[in-house]
């Protein structure tokens, strides 16, 4: 396994930047990110496509060791089981710790049950270690989640109804702090949580584009879905305002709603953000790597 203590490199790769679970021809992929903090690689959320995204960043899946899930919406954890299983088939034989909301263990137990025949067969036929013994699921709450020498992970509940156990995360290493907003409506307390961070990665939506998005979806109640979006997600302007209030060094937007409507371009996102934020800005796209100096 890679020794993360031997490297000081710090960067974030936005693997999937689309808000919501659906994918269509030409669209981006749902939410997942890879944080490399002082050489230590941490996966944050596991939406559809995370496995391909990690290998696209030249990460050896057998080195998987630490995963955080912000909340239990499918676009954030649908591929958690397949990622870990694929890493196992790629040579994983060391522990993996997964931090996430209460109830994530039920998902993992169900995934293991669904794959029992395959896991048992590969253990017997190929001599692999028992996957069930390699993975530990830990429920998170507000406060310090994990603390080691020169590394700390902290969580705060954000506002993403109807879910309650839904979190923003802050990772602090030897020289840098990176904050993920998670999915949240405008949440003023996030500014204090993200204060002076090197990078704030915040979800965002363009309100003017929501009407067209609802028409495209086709199998939901437009009124209910619009109500969910307005009560549970942040406008790009709000994300920019949080970055400004928190005095972060850089802002990146991901979980973009929408991310795949050709009628709304980078200029629309820039226009929304620049009303409140004139600092370093990254508009998310799949595979974008943001280096932290």
């Amino acid at each position: 396994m890679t020794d993360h203590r031997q490297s000081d490199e710090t960067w974030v790769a936005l693997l999937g930047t689309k808000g919501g679970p659906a994918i269509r021809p030409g669209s981006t992929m749902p939410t997942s990110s890879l944080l490399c903090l002082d050489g230590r690689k941490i996966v944050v959320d596991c939406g559809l496509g995370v496995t391909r995204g990690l290998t696209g960043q030249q990460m050896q899946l057998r080195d998987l060791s630490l995963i955080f899930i912000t909340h239990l919406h499918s676009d954030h954890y649908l591929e958690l089981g397949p990622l870990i299983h694929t890493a196992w088939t790629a040579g994983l034989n060391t522990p993996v710790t997964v931090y996430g909301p209460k109830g994530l263990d039920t998902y993992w137990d169900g995934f293991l049950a669904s794959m029992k025949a395959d896991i048992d067969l590969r253990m017997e036929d190929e001599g692999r270690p028992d996957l069930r013994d390699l993975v530990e699921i830990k429920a998170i709450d507000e406060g310090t989640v994990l603390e080691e020498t020169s590394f700390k992970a902290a969580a705060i509940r954000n506002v993403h109804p109807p879910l309650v156990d839904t979190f923003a995360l802050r990772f602090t290493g030897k020289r840098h702090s990176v904050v993920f907003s998670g999915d949240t409506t405008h949440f003023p307390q996030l500014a204090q949580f993200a204060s002076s961070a090197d990078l704030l990665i915040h979800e965002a939506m363009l309100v003017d584009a929501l009407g067209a998005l609802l028409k495209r979806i086709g199998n939901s109640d437009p009124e209910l879905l619009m109500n969910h979006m307005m009560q549970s997600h942040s406008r790009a302007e709000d994300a920019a305002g949080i970055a400004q209030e928190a005095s972060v060094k850089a802002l990146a937007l991901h979980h973009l709603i929408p991310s795949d409507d050709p009628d709304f371009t980078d200029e629309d996102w820039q226009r929304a953000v620049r009303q409140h934020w004139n600092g370093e800005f990254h508009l998310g796209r799949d595979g974008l790597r943001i280096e932290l100096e």
Side-chain angles (χ1 to χ4, degrees), residues 160-238:
H160 189 52
L163 296 178
V164 174
D165 291 322
T166 169
F167 298 93
L169 300 170
R170 180 171 184 141
F171 299 94
T172 302
K174 290 183 290 187
R175 296 185 298 119
H176 300 95
S177 289
V178 177
V179 175
F180 292 82
S181 72
D183 282 12
T184 183
T185 189
H186 180 53
F187 179 48
Q189 294 93 318
L190 183 62
Q192 181 177 356
F193 185 70
S195 179
S196 300
D198 294 275
L199 176 63
L200 170 62
I201 302 168
H202 203 297
E203 71 126 91
M205 64 181 178
L206 286 173
V207 174
D208 289 347
L210 297 183
L213 175 62
L214 294 180
K215 290 179 181 178
R216 266 194 305 172
I217 292 174
N219 69 343
S220 64
D221 182 309
E223 185 176 347
L224 284 176
L225 186 52
M226 178 65 84
N227 183 63
H228 165 74
M229 289 182 177
M230 298 306 295
Q231 291 190 2
S232 302
H233 294 284
S234 298
R235 302 179 307 149
E237 295 88 342
D238 294 329

Side-chain angles (χ1 to χ4, degrees), residues 7-235:
S7 172
D8 287 328
E9 64 175 345
T10 295
W11 45 264
V12 178
L14 304 179
L15 308 178
T17 54
K18 179 186 181 298
I23 59 172
R24 304 174 182 86
S27 74
T28 52
M29 297 300 287
T31 309
S32 62
S33 301
L34 175 61
L35 167 62
C36 180
L37 185 61
D38 302 322
R40 182 176 197 169
K41 291 182 177 174
I42 304 153
V43 178
V44 181
D45 284 328
C46 292
L48 192 65
V50 62
T51 308
R52 173 62 73 182
L54 290 172
T55 58
Q57 295 296 322
Q58 305 306 309
M59 178 176 173
Q60 297 291 338
L61 296 181
R62 64 175 177 265
D63 293 336
L64 191 68
S65 63
L66 187 57
I67 301 172
F68 282 78
I69 302 297
T70 59
H71 66 289
L72 298 186
H73 270 150
S74 61
D75 52 325
H76 295 258
Y77 75 112
L78 182 65
E79 201 171 303
L80 172 63
L83 166 61
I84 296 173
H85 184 282
T86 304
W88 178 63
T89 65
L92 176 73
N93 63 1
T94 49
V96 177
T97 306
V98 184
Y99 290 89
K102 289 180 291 186
L104 188 60
D105 56 343
T106 301
Y107 163 89
W108 177 243
D109 290 344
F111 176 80
L112 290 176
S114 73
M115 297 301 295
K116 182 179 186 303
D118 179 88
I119 294 169
D120 290 346
L121 179 64
R122 293 185 187 280
M123 289 171 57
E124 180 180 352
D125 192 46
E126 301 171 6
R128 297 182 186 272
D130 194 334
L131 176 61
R132 290 157 290 214
D133 293 338
L134 294 179
V135 179
E136 183 177 12
I137 308 292
K138 292 188 174 184
I140 64 176
D141 207 334
E142 289 192 302
T144 299
V145 176
L146 176 61
E147 188 166 15
E148 301 171 354
T149 302
S150 301
F151 175 81
K152 180 178 179 180
I156 185 174
R157 272 186 177 78
N158 52 27
V159 182
H160 189 52
L163 296 178
V164 174
D165 291 322
T166 169
F167 298 93
L169 300 170
R170 180 171 184 141
F171 299 94
T172 302
K174 290 183 290 187
R175 296 185 298 119
H176 300 95
S177 289
V178 177
V179 175
F180 292 82
S181 72
D183 282 12
T184 183
T185 189
H186 180 53
F187 179 48
Q189 294 93 318
L190 183 62
Q192 181 177 356
F193 185 70
S195 179
S196 300
D198 294 275
L199 176 63
L200 170 62
I201 302 168
H202 203 297
E203 71 126 91
M205 64 181 178
L206 286 173
V207 174
D208 289 347
L210 297 183
L213 175 62
L214 294 180
K215 290 179 181 178
R216 266 194 305 172
I217 292 174
N219 69 343
S220 64
D221 182 309
E223 185 176 347
L224 284 176
L225 186 52
M226 178 65 84
N227 183 63
H228 165 74
M229 289 182 177
M230 298 306 295
Q231 291 190 2
S232 302
H233 294 284
S234 298
R235 302 179 307 149

